[in-house]
Amino acid sequence: MSKGMYVPKESQPKQGGTAAKGRDGEKGGKRKIVAQNKKARHDYAIIDTYEAGLVLMGTEVKSLREGRTSLADGFVQIDRGEAWLHNAHIPEYHQGSWTNHSARRKRKLLLHREEIDKLESKAQETGHTIIPLALYFKDGRAKAEIALARGKKEYDKRQTLREQQDRRESDRAIAAAKRKQRDA
């Protein structure tokens, strides 16, 4: 196509469109996971999960991008119609100055009103709590995956471990049988 040549609008390539969308057609791209709370899935039975935005300071974002964070002691609390993430450890940014943040400050979670109301009513039931499962970046924005969960008893934890071990053993047996069949 030469310079100055007229091209009808219909034949011009479109901006954005499906190239900006993810695999399943939704807006959004890949998740770059920064931290996971693996112990949460062991200690709690997950009932429902939610994706929430995080209100962070600049040094917190930089520290998150370095991947040095922990959710082990974290929990979510609903206070006056707002969701807050407590005890998530995001260490101070090592190149930060006097503008650095406190490592364990409470951070506001961004959720829809209906989600907050639903979480608040469910969390007031006996044995239910709201816990963070993961922190990640999605399209350059920090997000938290939180879950409504019920605490497991000790025998539930043992049962889950037993099921995982049985599943692993059966997978190994199937793989060994396939190898034996392939080699024969």
Side-chain angles (χ1 to χ4, degrees):
M1 191 164 38
S2 64
K3 192 173 181 180
M5 184 175 165
Y6 173 74
V7 178
K9 193 160 188 95
E10 299 85 43
S11 63
Q12 289 179 357
K14 293 182 179 180
Q15 300 293 324
T18 57
K21 293 183 182 178
R23 276 178 263 155
D24 50 3
E26 293 180 16
K27 182 183 175 194
K30 294 183 181 177
R31 289 174 26 158
K32 181 186 173 213
I33 295 179
V34 177
Q36 283 188 322
N37 190 355
K38 293 179 183 176
K39 193 168 173 70
R41 294 194 187 271
H42 175 72
D43 292 340
Y44 297 95
I46 307 301
I47 298 168
D48 203 5
T49 60
Y50 298 89
E51 180 180 68
L54 279 167
V55 177
L56 299 173
M57 297 172 61
T59 54
E60 287 175 313
V61 175
K62 291 178 181 183
S63 185
L64 273 178
R65 289 196 189 280
E66 291 179 347
R68 304 177 309 130
T69 187
S70 172
L71 295 173
D73 300 329
F75 64 95
V76 176
Q77 190 172 27
I78 309 291
D79 185 30
R80 290 186 237 146
E82 295 179 337
W84 295 90
L85 176 63
H86 293 268
N87 280 354
H89 184 265
I90 300 176
E92 291 185 352
Y93 184 56
H94 67 277
Q95 292 180 341
S97 60
W98 57 272
T99 60
N100 244 335
H101 62 278
S102 173
R104 288 206 183 264
R105 75 178 188 92
K106 66 180 189 176
R107 294 160 179 96
K108 188 174 181 178
L109 294 172
L110 304 173
L111 290 161
H112 291 285
R113 171 64 44 209
E114 302 86 38
E115 292 174 334
I116 292 174
D117 293 340
K118 184 178 177 183
L119 281 170
E120 186 173 24
S121 66
K122 292 284 189 177
Q124 289 174 351
E125 294 178 12
T126 306
H128 289 83
T129 187
I130 309 167
I131 54 170
L133 295 177
L135 288 178
Y136 56 91
F137 284 100
K138 184 176 178 183
D139 291 333
R141 299 185 191 280
K143 304 280 185 178
E145 183 179 19
I146 61 173
L148 179 66
R150 187 184 72 250
K152 285 185 182 177
K153 303 285 186 206
E154 197 62 38
Y155 58 85
D156 289 333
K157 294 178 189 178
R158 283 194 297 267
Q159 180 65 27
T160 304
L161 289 174
R162 197 173 302 118
E163 288 170 0
Q164 287 175 350
Q165 187 176 9
D166 291 344
R167 194 176 314 116
R168 222 177 284 126
E169 287 175 6
S170 66
D171 289 345
R172 284 184 190 140
I174 291 169
K178 284 183 179 178
R179 269 196 308 270
K180 194 174 186 180
Q181 189 179 36
R182 187 179 60 218
D183 292 341

